[in-house]
Amino acid sequence: MSAASLPPTQFAFRSAAGIGLSEGAPEFGAPAGFEKQTGNIRVLQYSKNGQYLAWATPECIKVLNAHSLEIVQELAIKDVLEIDFSPKGTFLSTWQRQIKTEDGSHKNMMIFEVQTGQELTAFSQKSQNNWNVQWTDDEAYCARMVSNEVHFWEPKNLTKTPFTKLRQEGMSQFSLSPGKSASVAVFFGERKSAPAMVRIYSITNFNVPLASKSFFKADRVQMIWNQLGTNVLVWATTDHDKTGKSYYGETNLYYLAVAGNFDCRVPIDGLIHDVAWAPASKDFVVIHGQMPNPKTTLFDQRANAVHEFGRDARNTIKWNPQGRILVLAGFGNLAGTMDFWDHKTLKKISSVSARDTTACEWSPDGRHILTATLSPRLRVDNGYKIWHYTGTLIHTEEMNELYQVSWRPSAPEIYPIRTSLSPAPKPTAKSSVASAQAQPAPARVGAYRPPQARGTPAPSLFADSANAGTSSSASTSASDSMLSKAALKNKKKRENAKKHKDSEDGDPSSPVAGSGTSSPVRSNTPRPKSENNTSNTNGNSSNSSNNRKSQNGALTSTSSTAAGSPSSQMTETEKKIRNVTKKLKQIHELKEKQAAGETLELTQLQKISAESALLKELEALKI
């Protein structure tokens, strides 16, 4: 069957503007005949068989036939926060916040028949967690927990007392299996020195368990069934890790066969981040280990590791409905990377980046996956994107305050996957524009420099000796470009002042003109006085030329004097003259301040009074 002949997929979304419907690939448009619903929509839910779509407003609940797009039922129930369908869409459950009454008789969880709108029964359900009853796939039974008991009803007798009860001391959780032969798994927490335990019973016989498994380190569990209901994975969690290895407690995974012929502890390392059965119910995948590099492992039906997908920052597993393609993703506080794997060949197909994803769901056709950024988890950049498993972005839509988005369920058999995977279809105009407008990541211009270190040369420890010249100039130009005009001006002033000082005092590390090398020139001849050096350089060309080279061919005399320090070449008289002149200059500056009306300190006045003595000393030195 070609892709064009397949029935179109459909998805619904709930935003601040109301409810919208859209067809999937390749059209991505609102289906004809649907009247958009506006207003305050609190919750949106498809039935598990895809027949109905229901939503709740503050005044009522409306049920839409998802195929004909006609409203088939309207229930006048106010302030409903949760709704859910039974597996075949026959019954609709609702939950409201419980209102305190004197006798505590407010029944806030109700079950209705969809076709007639009749209320069949109601219960008092305080907690919003696990608020709904659990159904078997054939809707033969439904069950809910009351204290240490699990009560079972037949749909035709919902108004009556339960037809049977499973009563076990210390029971805290239960889970009904899918599949044709339904069973129930119950969990018992640790009590005193007794271990925790999971037992599996047949709904028709609670006398003898079909299978059981006891273990320690379990404050609560999550029971994950395969689609056939023949095996269950028990994900056990503790609030505290007594070994101190993890802040998030400790996790373990146990495998139980309903037939009772096999059970084991699944060999994993560290924390468990996600677990998912393959739709064929024969193998499962676990992400386990410490972040940021947990391990992803494929296990067979006997909990033997058969393949490693590597170590990457991933925390989400999504199988497509046909079980052919597997997505390993890192959402939440991770970067949002999605890896597509072919389950048949165990090879990676593609990788994409879906940043800020808060919801992810496969299309029933098994070829497209939807990612969304939802409010209130993230209040910016809300919208959804639809990707092909080859990594191509097919369609994108931005919305203001998108709260919920969901595909209409369909049987996987309607959309079979061929032996060879199909190529990606052509993207829509919106996705093409979004891809064209996507800004590339800015190129790094260098290593991070703290503000106080910007504009200064990088330490030699971090310099690349192979590219010393180019990297130095590049880093200097990059740092100069980050400075303001005033800072750049001040930097140039400091550099010029330093050069001027070096030219006055002499810099032994500065290169010698004409030497052909950047290292200072050493000479075996004594250094002449500065005044003699000046006269020799300017007035006596023959003497300069005679002293230009020594026996080893290096520059001497004149060049060495230029590189030397003049203070080491001055006589004692010259040094005294320099010091006296410096003091007289300071006295002159103090007199100017005094003339301007500035009050001077006692030490400054004493320095001014010594001016005449300094002048006499200077005259005596010059004689």
Side-chain angles (χ1 to χ4, degrees), residues 248-422:
Y248 301 99
E250 192 172 353
T251 58
N252 287 287
L253 191 65
Y254 302 94
Y255 183 105
L256 281 83
V258 173
N261 57 357
F262 181 78
D263 65 75
C264 71
R265 179 185 178 274
V266 180
I268 59 167
D269 301 325
L271 288 174
I272 300 173
H273 303 281
D274 200 9
V275 181
W277 282 97
S281 301
K282 293 182 179 180
D283 43 16
F284 59 94
V285 174
V286 184
I287 300 177
H288 55 103
Q290 298 298 326
M291 285 292 179
N293 296 310
K295 184 190 299 183
T296 304
T297 308
L298 176 68
F299 294 91
D300 62 12
Q301 66 270 21
R302 282 295 182 262
N304 298 313
V306 295
H307 183 72
E308 298 288 346
F309 293 95
R311 289 182 175 270
D312 290 297
R314 307 291 183 263
N315 59 5
T316 304
I317 303 170
K318 295 288 184 181
W319 291 93
N320 76 333
Q322 293 76 12
R324 176 66 185 273
I325 303 170
L326 170 68
V327 164
L328 302 176
F331 296 142
N333 60 345
L334 300 180
T337 304
M338 295 195 303
D339 298 329
F340 294 83
W341 291 81
D342 186 347
H343 184 212
K344 184 177 180 180
T345 62
L346 295 177
K347 293 183 179 179
K348 185 186 291 188
I349 303 171
S350 62
S351 291
V352 298
S353 177
R355 296 183 59 188
D356 301 330
T357 295
T358 59
C360 178
E361 185 179 355
W362 273 101
S363 168
D365 65 8
R367 295 163 174 82
H368 303 87
I369 192 168
L370 181 147
T371 61
T373 304
L374 304 180
S375 185
R377 176 69 181 272
L378 290 175
R379 297 188 179 274
V380 295
D381 299 330
N382 281 194
Y384 61 83
K385 297 178 181 179
I386 297 178
W387 311 77
H388 192 261
Y389 60 75
T390 56
T392 305
L393 178 60
I394 303 299
H395 182 71
T396 183
E397 190 77 33
E398 295 182 358
M399 292 188 178
N400 180 29
E401 293 188 36
L402 178 63
Y403 304 123
Q404 189 179 357
V405 60
S406 179
W407 288 100
R408 176 189 176 189
S410 298
E413 296 79 14
I414 301 177
Y415 306 95
I417 297 290
R418 295 180 178 178
T419 304
S420 59
L421 297 176
S422 58

Side-chain angles (χ1 to χ4, degrees), residues 601-620:
E601 296 180 357
L602 179 61
T603 54
Q604 293 173 329
L605 293 174
Q606 291 174 352
K607 185 179 290 188
I608 293 175
S609 63
E611 182 181 11
S612 58
L614 291 172
L615 289 172
K616 291 180 181 180
E617 183 180 356
L618 181 62
E619 290 178 0

